[in-house]
Amino acid sequence: EKDAITINFFNEYFKGIDLCNIAEIMDMAQDLMGLKFDDKAYIALMLHTAIAVKRINDNDCISADDIKLKNLKNSIEFNIARIIASRLEKHFNISVSKPEIGYIALHLMSSRARHIESTEDADQSMDKVEEGMLDFITDAVEKFESLLNVNLQNDMELQHGLLSHLVGMYKRYSLGVQQANPLKDEIMKQFPLIFSIAKNIFTGFGQRFHIEIDEDEIGYITMYFAAAVERASNKKIKRVYAVCPTGVGGAQLLMANLKSKFPNIRVIKCMSMIDAETIDNAKADAIISTVELNNKNIPVIVVSPFILEKDMEKITDVLSVRSEHQSYDFSLGKIYGQDISGFISMISDAAIFIEKVVRVLGISISNETYMGLVIHILLQICRGEHSSIPLSMNAYKEDHVSYEIRKAFKDLEAKYKFKVSDYDVFAVRSYLIGKESNADE
């Protein structure tokens, strides 16, 4: 069901773009390169190509200044990218510029870099570079462990992911090509400590391999370590007994709230007060109860079945686990796979917000505007409290449209703990401006 929601979401966003045709072109690219992309590379190339087609259709083409083509033109990947571009032009009736071809070539190079580990005839000098990179990654992981007090040594996903990224970065640098990171500012905001550590450690990587690592690359590296830290924290599962003598309903409420607010807590069993006061079980880290009780063998945490803020603090203090819902902080880690149910809930809430505004204003909007608004609202929620935005608001005046938008934002503000600024209202209003007349057509 979740996969269906995601597929429908992307099908709507890429409406009019036949993803099956793009998949066929990707298969052709694999044959021409003589390799098979892994899942991540295949999906990344698919999405980039679909976004490029949509951008070209919207007359939002990148300029020649956005990419250095000089060192790319003689590469095999650039020639294959030209073939891909030719197929795209034929299928979608568009004109693909050289900068767009260059970006496709970069993604092909990245895909080839992922494949290097399993290629028998890999260049020996590159093998030595990779060996040096693995040594550096091992040292970097140890430093992160020491500074963050977390165990990352056995995280093969971290090591393989970093190696793949660093090999691709090394090749891009050798071609004189830089890759911007559109999420850099958000990453620095969400993971300031990890970003700072990564910047300090990987400055040494740049010196060792004679390449320049800018903050865009540090941002990508930060994401690998942030995901690894999240995985490590998720492994620290605490096992508890639950006690709620008010009946089955109260017990179910307690367990549901524990599951929702503390994903790292597992309720072994729901038991009576009498059993809870006499049990001596080393398998349990604590007893979480809605009533006072005595047990000298296992810590007892007394809470409300609703698990209020003060209750979450008690549980955190005793069990050293983090609550996922104290401030509804949807970090990048959660959005990209760690809390997909929460992300789907955000999409639903954004849709409700839009429908409420559209209904009150008596307007109709296109599917494209609807999808744009959904994405915009999600980004607003994820940004949280806004910093100053470089936009003059002198000409902004509150009218009935802005008033209804601000009013509809109240529920989102309360649930996701962020403050709506004049700019937020202005941005949503910009999506809707001129749409009111549609209701009369």
Side-chain angles (χ1 to χ4, degrees):
E1 182 181 351
K2 291 175 183 175
D3 289 341
I5 292 172
T6 304
I7 291 169
N8 290 336
F9 185 82
F10 280 106
N11 281 340
E12 185 65 32
Y13 185 73
F14 294 119
K15 193 172 183 178
I17 299 176
D18 190 341
L19 297 180
C20 291
N21 277 338
I22 294 179
E24 291 175 2
I25 294 173
M26 296 305 102
D27 292 339
M28 174 202 68
Q30 290 184 120
D31 293 338
L32 291 173
M33 294 181 73
L35 56 84
K36 185 174 177 60
F37 302 143
D38 64 24
D39 290 342
K40 291 182 179 178
Y42 191 92
I43 292 171
L45 193 54
M46 276 273 296
L47 285 177
H48 166 79
T49 306
I51 290 171
V53 171
K54 188 177 189 304
R55 187 171 57 239
I56 294 170
N57 280 332
D58 293 340
N59 294 317
D60 184 22
C61 302
I62 58 176
S63 67
D65 293 336
D66 291 330
I67 186 171
K68 297 179 180 179
L69 298 172
K70 182 178 179 181
N71 294 320
L72 281 174
K73 289 184 177 179
N74 295 326
S75 67
I76 295 174
E77 287 83 0
F78 189 84
N79 289 327
I80 295 174
R82 291 176 64 182
I83 297 173
I84 291 175
S86 176
R87 294 293 181 91
L88 292 174
E89 289 176 335
K90 179 180 178 181
H91 279 296
F92 299 104
N93 193 27
I94 58 176
S95 178
V96 182
S97 66
K98 285 185 178 179
E100 293 285 3
I101 295 174
Y103 270 116
I104 294 172
L106 283 178
H107 279 272
L108 292 175
M109 287 178 176
S110 177
S111 300
R112 186 184 291 279
R114 289 176 182 271
H115 190 71
I116 282 179
E117 292 178 44
S118 59
T119 304
E120 294 181 358
D121 59 348
D123 185 82
Q124 290 185 355
S125 62
M126 194 62 216
D127 283 345
K128 291 181 180 179
V129 171
E130 284 192 44
E131 288 178 10
M133 287 183 180
L134 277 172
D135 290 340
F136 188 94
I137 289 171
T138 300
D139 292 339
V141 169
E142 289 179 356
K143 290 176 181 176
F144 263 93
E145 285 187 316
S146 175
L147 292 169
L148 296 177
N149 191 28
V150 62
N151 183 8
L152 304 175
Q153 281 293 340
N154 297 322
D155 193 333
M156 292 297 103
E157 186 175 347
L158 168 63
Q159 296 184 32
H160 291 160
L162 269 178
L163 178 62
S164 176
H165 178 82
L166 294 176
V167 168
M169 179 182 70
Y170 183 85
K171 283 181 168 289
R172 287 195 304 274
Y173 187 84
S174 67
L175 293 168
V177 177
Q178 291 181 317
Q179 179 169 298
N181 186 345
L183 294 174
K184 181 187 69 176
D185 292 341
E186 182 68 19
I187 293 168
M188 292 174 68
K189 178 181 176 182
Q190 293 285 349
F191 310 108
L193 177 58
I194 297 178
F195 185 91
S196 177
I197 295 172
K199 185 175 181 178
N200 182 54
I201 292 175
F202 280 85
T203 297
F205 180 92
Q207 295 169 350
R208 178 171 176 177
F209 293 95
H210 309 293
I211 62 176
E212 183 179 348
I213 298 184
D214 57 20
E215 288 193 341
D216 289 281
E217 288 294 350
I218 296 298
Y220 286 118
I221 293 168
T222 297
M223 291 178 70
Y224 285 101
F225 278 101
V229 170
E230 188 76 18
R231 286 193 295 271
S233 65
N234 285 341
K235 292 178 182 178
K236 298 176 182 177
I237 302 298
K238 299 294 184 178
R239 298 163 63 86
V240 303
Y241 291 116
V243 177
C244 185
T246 58
V248 176
Q252 291 295 328
L253 179 61
L254 173 62
M255 289 191 290
N257 276 307
L258 283 173
K259 182 178 180 180
S260 172
K261 297 175 180 179
F262 290 95
N264 292 355
I265 289 181
R266 297 290 180 269
V267 177
I268 303 172
K269 182 181 179 182
C270 190
M271 60 175 54
S272 68
M273 283 182 61
I274 296 174
D275 290 339
E277 289 187 333
T278 57
I279 194 167
D280 180 7
N281 191 333
K283 293 181 179 179
D285 297 290
I287 297 172
I288 297 181
S289 172
T290 59
V291 294
E292 294 283 351
L293 57 86
N294 296 313
N295 187 308
K296 296 180 180 179
N297 303 308
I298 306 174
V300 177
I301 309 170
V302 181
V303 300
S304 159
F306 295 99
I307 309 294
L308 305 175
E309 187 89 18
K310 61 181 181 180
D311 300 322
M312 290 191 282
E313 292 175 1
K314 289 181 187 178
I315 294 171
T316 300
D317 289 343
V318 175
L319 295 177
S320 299
V321 290
R322 185 178 59 191
S323 168
E324 297 289 349
H325 289 251
Q326 282 183 337
S327 60
Y328 243 107
D329 177 19
F330 283 89
S331 66
L332 290 175
K334 300 191 190 79
I335 291 174
Y336 293 106
Q338 296 298 325
D339 188 7
I340 187 64
S341 62
F343 187 45
I344 291 172
S345 176
M346 290 169 66
I347 294 175
S348 176
D349 289 336
I352 292 171
F353 165 85
I354 295 166
E355 289 169 5
K356 184 185 296 184
V357 173
V358 167
R359 184 177 63 254
V360 170
L361 295 177
I363 63 175
S364 60
I365 57 176
S366 66
N367 288 336
E368 185 174 359
T369 299
Y370 183 89
M371 291 301 300
L373 267 173
V374 168
I375 294 171
H376 183 86
I377 298 301
L378 293 179
L379 290 174
Q380 284 187 216
I381 292 172
C382 294
R383 282 199 304 267
E385 189 71 32
H386 290 278
S387 58
S388 59
I389 298 175
L391 178 71
S392 174
M393 299 298 295
N394 294 334
Y396 171 74
K397 293 182 180 179
E398 186 95 358
D399 58 12
H400 79 286
V401 176
S402 301
Y403 172 79
E404 294 298 343
I405 292 170
R406 191 182 299 277
K407 185 178 176 182
F409 259 126
K410 294 296 183 184
D411 290 339
L412 291 178
E413 283 184 303
K415 182 170 183 179
Y416 295 103
K417 311 299 182 188
F418 74 103
K419 182 67 175 175
V420 172
S421 67
D422 287 344
Y423 174 76
D424 294 324
V425 176
F426 178 81
V428 173
R429 187 182 185 282
S430 298
Y431 276 95
L432 301 173
I433 200 74
K435 306 295 182 181
E436 291 175 281
S437 59
N438 293 347
D440 300 326
E441 295 178 359

